Amino acid sequence: MVTSAVSVDLKTVPIIIGGKPRVSSGKTAVQTNPATGEAVVLIPYCTNEEISAAVEAAQQAFPAWSQTPVLQRARIMFKYRQLVEQHADELIRLCTEENGKTIEESKGSYQRGIECIEFAAGVPSLLMGETVERVSPGVDSASTRQPLGACVGITPFNFPLMVPLWMFPLAIACGNTFVLKPSDRVPRSAVRVAELLYEAGLPAGVMNVVHGAKDAVDALLTDKRVKAVSFVGSSPVAKYIYQTASANGKRVQCLAGAKNHSVVMPDCEMKTTVETIMSSSFGCAGERCVATSVVVAVGEVGDRLVSELIRAGDATKIGPGDRPGCGMGPVITPEARERIVGYIEQGQKEGAKLVRDGRKDTCDAGGYYLGTTIFDNVKPEMRIAREEIFGPVLSVIRARDLNHALEIVNGSEHGNASSIYTKSGATARHFAASTQTGMVGVNLGVPAPVAVFPFSGWKNSFFGDLHALGKDGVRFYTETKVVTSRWPE
Ligand code: NAD
């Protein structure tokens, strides 16, 4: 909701241009705490001039920063890691306040964010090139990696802290400068981590933060000074950004939406399987791109699995993320809740069996709550089985055998993650080799790789060539140069 009249007492989230926080002169919207519905801050929507000034600051800072010795850039990352750790409690609380996650979930995402800084601090080794001596008499060849220039990051609401950290530490350590446009629903964590980067000694203009929605993004995508765009968000927006940024000559990586399946075999270890699926499907209120949203129950395991899931769903307490004993926080906005409820109604209309209805669960805190919701007897062609719901709704599809399960998994338009639960190594191996997703879990529900590997979604879950993080991330943020030299003997 964009407004200029409401809540004049609320603080406006700053933008950061050229190393300095300032107040945007754009319109503002109220950010509410999803756990309580209370207004917290005003979020600005930057003007075109502000967006352009942020890109200019990044452009101006690039020559000196890219020439800064790589060991010095790495040292800033070491210092940054230390500062982020010193501010852990503040950042974790902020993440919960903005997004609604439980404190434990915010801690987990904070830890994964720290890993990205640690990975970026290894940049001297990551940038090492290759050499081949004597490619012909007196001639040697060597490759190096050089930074691109001003890079842009556009991030989603579901990981206010971690997803920005997937991008800018590595981009900046590689010698680029950066403009971050965080989600307009959760911009405060991004501002805070940028401020800490300056406290670590980053020169002015290397990191910039602007706010806004489509208009701000469009201004960045069409700006000739921007060399590369990293995006994380929903598939339709990812596709649009991929097409627009590529058409404007930019390197682009777009990590997109998901519909992740977990295949449960009759020989699974039932207790840990149920615990793991519950945490994958309902952790972060189902607002996670690696969440299991479809369980494919193979053979006779189905009835027992469904009754165990219902039991665990009944035991999951909803409430504010900082309340002791809270098992699941709210979803992000009232509109998101309404959309998810619409999918529950759709599932009923399509004939799926609603075995646990989270709409009945209530919370006294006043936020945007929905309890764990489970459908059984879902068919692969139903909308609840195909479309990303991004909320606490789990569909169970019954399959005859592993090959039937694989047919269901591979029939999805998305290819982010999939998991299998089994005690058989041969079954797990066959599944890992045959599933058409870029991230695979064996007896685990959130197969998000650590930062040394790429976050490697497939199909409609990714648009681009080089994924975020790992060696892909380094290649994305650098250009390869091959020097061939002749020194006659
Ligand atoms: P979103 O696509 O609505 O927004 C993402 C970003 O794009 C935000 O910064 C937003 O301001 C901007 N944006 C929104 N609409 C736009 C438009 N029309 N044109 C240009 N920019 C626009 O996504 P969200 O709701 O914030 O996040 C949830 C989505 O992100 C889910 O689909 C989830 O699966 C996905 N996600 C994917 C990954 C992954 O690694 N694949 C990780 C996290 C989240």
Side-chain angles (χ1 to χ4, degrees):
M1 177 188 36
V2 178
T3 171
S4 45
V6 187
S7 311
V8 281
D9 293 341
L10 295 176
K11 278 199 181 141
T12 302
V13 182
I15 54 178
I16 300 181
I17 297 180
K20 292 204 172 57
R22 55 161 114 153
V23 176
S24 163
S25 58
K27 286 186 175 163
T28 54
V30 175
Q31 184 195 42
T32 58
N33 179 339
T36 59
E38 284 161 8
V40 187
V41 289
L42 295 176
I43 299 165
Y45 286 74
C46 284
T47 62
N48 277 346
E49 291 70 33
E50 287 162 349
I51 303 284
S52 178
V55 176
E56 185 59 24
Q59 165 99 336
Q60 292 294 328
F62 178 68
W65 179 244
S66 57
Q67 295 300 310
T68 302
V70 66
L71 293 178
Q72 217 168 308
R73 300 201 305 256
R75 266 178 221 127
I76 290 183
M77 287 300 150
F78 281 112
K79 175 82 182 150
Y80 183 46
R81 185 207 180 281
Q82 198 183 352
L83 278 169
V84 170
E85 197 161 46
Q86 278 166 10
H87 289 80
D89 287 346
E90 174 201 344
L91 292 169
I92 287 163
R93 295 219 146 256
L94 181 55
C95 181
T96 288
E97 185 180 305
E98 284 204 288
N99 169 276
K101 284 182 207 305
T102 67
I103 290 286
E104 279 311 306
E105 289 162 355
S106 289
K107 265 187 203 164
S109 71
Y110 158 86
Q111 197 50 47
R112 301 308 297 264
I114 286 263
E115 277 171 22
C116 302
I117 306 172
E118 288 166 348
F119 178 60
V123 71
S125 316
L126 296 173
L127 288 182
M128 278 167 89
E130 295 173 313
T131 59
V132 179
E133 249 187 350
R134 220 162 286 114
V135 290
S136 75
V139 178
D140 303 327
S141 283
S143 69
T144 56
R145 298 205 158 275
Q146 297 193 341
L148 308 172
C151 298
V152 158
I154 301 157
T155 52
F157 80 83
N158 65 326
F159 283 101
L161 195 58
M162 180 185 78
V163 172
L165 289 170
W166 283 0
M167 301 173 180
F168 70 81
L170 186 58
I172 287 175
C174 285
N176 300 286
T177 54
F178 210 82
V179 180
L180 175 65
K181 204 298 288 170
S183 165
D184 50 330
R185 286 175 270 175
V186 296
R188 284 188 293 154
S189 304
V191 168
R192 196 63 194 110
V193 285
E195 285 169 348
L196 292 176
L197 188 49
Y198 278 111
E199 274 182 44
L202 195 75
V206 176
M207 173 73 186
N208 305 276
V209 184
V210 293
H211 302 302
K214 187 177 187 323
D215 289 350
V217 171
D218 284 343
L220 291 166
L221 299 183
T222 51
D223 192 312
K224 286 197 170 56
R225 295 165 294 183
V226 170
K227 299 295 178 235
V229 175
S230 300
F231 170 85
V232 177
S234 60
S235 293
V237 179
K239 198 169 180 184
Y240 167 75
I241 287 181
Y242 178 68
Q243 288 169 344
T244 313
S246 323
N248 281 278
K250 295 172 202 333
R251 188 175 285 205
V252 50
Q253 55 178 191
C254 291
L255 286 71
K259 191 78 188 172
N260 306 309
H261 296 68
S262 275
V263 173
V264 180
M265 298 301 292
D267 70 344
C268 73
E269 210 289 295
M270 184 57 83
K271 186 167 175 291
T272 52
T273 299
V274 169
E275 282 167 8
T276 312
I277 289 175
M278 288 301 294
S279 151
S280 173
S281 302
F282 301 114
C284 300
E287 295 170 328
R288 201 157 44 176
C289 71
V290 281
T292 291
S293 53
V294 180
V295 160
V296 185
V298 175
E300 74 268 23
V301 82
D303 289 348
R304 187 167 158 222
L305 178 69
V306 169
S307 66
E308 294 282 336
L309 289 170
I310 297 170
R311 193 189 46 74
D314 287 342
T316 305
K317 285 205 185 93
I318 55 172
D322 57 0
R323 190 180 275 182
C326 163
M328 190 169 77
V331 297
I332 188 73
T333 55
E335 295 77 23
R337 189 183 184 284
E338 213 172 290
R339 195 198 68 243
I340 299 161
V341 165
Y343 269 108
I344 299 174
E345 290 162 2
Q346 178 67 25
Q348 287 180 296
K349 263 190 237 149
E350 286 179 307
K353 188 173 167 197
L354 184 60
V355 292
R356 188 171 199 289
D357 187 352
R359 291 172 299 186
K360 293 189 186 134
D361 299 346
T362 54
C363 172
D364 57 8
Y368 320 130
Y369 295 95
L370 199 55
T372 56
T373 298
I374 303 171
F375 279 104
D376 193 6
N377 293 334
V378 176
K379 303 291 170 225
E381 59 279 7
M382 291 179 182
R383 278 183 60 198
I384 55 166
R386 286 186 292 113
E387 297 177 15
E388 183 177 45
I389 300 175
F390 221 56
V393 180
L394 176 62
S395 296
V396 180
I397 300 180
R398 308 289 186 116
R400 291 183 302 277
D401 52 28
L402 179 59
N403 283 340
H404 184 206
L406 273 164
E407 227 174 83
I408 294 164
V409 176
N410 291 343
S412 173
E413 286 176 11
H414 293 288
N416 217 35
S418 59
S419 292
I420 187 158
Y421 295 86
T422 178
K423 289 198 194 96
S424 157
T427 303
R429 188 167 181 274
H430 177 61
F431 178 80
S434 316
T435 184
Q436 289 166 12
T437 67
M439 293 175 277
V440 183
V442 176
N443 296 319
L444 60 87
V446 180
V450 293
V452 296
F453 289 101
F455 203 91
S456 45
W458 285 11
K459 295 165 138 180
N460 264 359
S461 297
F462 180 73
F463 300 87
D465 304 292
L466 294 166
H467 293 88
L469 296 170
K471 287 180 190 152
D472 266 23
V474 178
R475 288 178 64 205
F476 182 78
Y477 288 125
T478 54
E479 195 85 78
T480 306
K481 182 178 275 181
V482 181
V483 179
T484 307
S485 327
R486 172 179 288 140
W487 296 103
E489 286 153 17

